[in-house]
Amino acid sequence: MSTFYTILLLLLSNVFMTLAWYGHLKLQQTGVSSHWPLIAIIAFSWMIAFFEYCCQVPANRIGFSGNGGPFSLVQLKVIQECISLLVFAVIANMMFQNQPLHWNHFAAFLCLIAAVYFVFMK
């Protein structure tokens, strides 16, 4: 069950992270934040990033083998990076639809899957 909660929290964490890092660009495109000072955009992003940390930290604590979880530190990081890129691709495609995925993106995803495979090899 800790595997499920770890993956779920990492998924949520990365949704918040992507929105914190790139959501302000969409707000700027729509004109919502085009006149905000940079410090306001940073503060807005940090408010979203707070929820990223509220998911990321528990995910790592639950999932880490040193705390009774199923994953080593390296495995946690590789899982997090794969989820991060997958979430980014989906959200970026939804927010900025003029940037479709191409064959090289899918090739990169296959390389990530291979990285996960090699990290989990005994």
Side-chain angles (χ1 to χ4, degrees), residues 99-121:
Q99 298 179 6
L101 297 176
H102 298 287
W103 72 268
N104 57 322
H105 298 117
F106 294 106
F109 286 135
L110 288 175
C111 291
L112 287 171
I113 292 167
V116 171
Y117 172 76
F118 288 123
V119 165
F120 279 87
M121 279 181 58

Side-chain angles (χ1 to χ4, degrees), residues 43-78:
F44 178 77
S45 292
W46 269 100
M47 285 189 291
I48 297 170
F50 170 77
F51 296 103
E52 173 204 350
Y53 280 79
C54 288
C55 297
Q56 182 76 31
V57 171
N60 287 333
R61 290 186 66 89
I62 292 167
F64 181 53
S65 59
N67 292 332
F71 304 116
S72 71
L73 188 61
V74 172
Q75 290 170 334
L76 273 171
K77 183 59 180 171
V78 170

Side-chain angles (χ1 to χ4, degrees), residues 76-91:
L76 273 171
K77 183 59 180 171
V78 170
I79 292 168
Q80 189 278 326
E81 290 299 331
C82 290
I83 291 172
S84 177
L85 290 171
L86 182 64
V87 166
F88 173 79
V90 170
I91 290 178

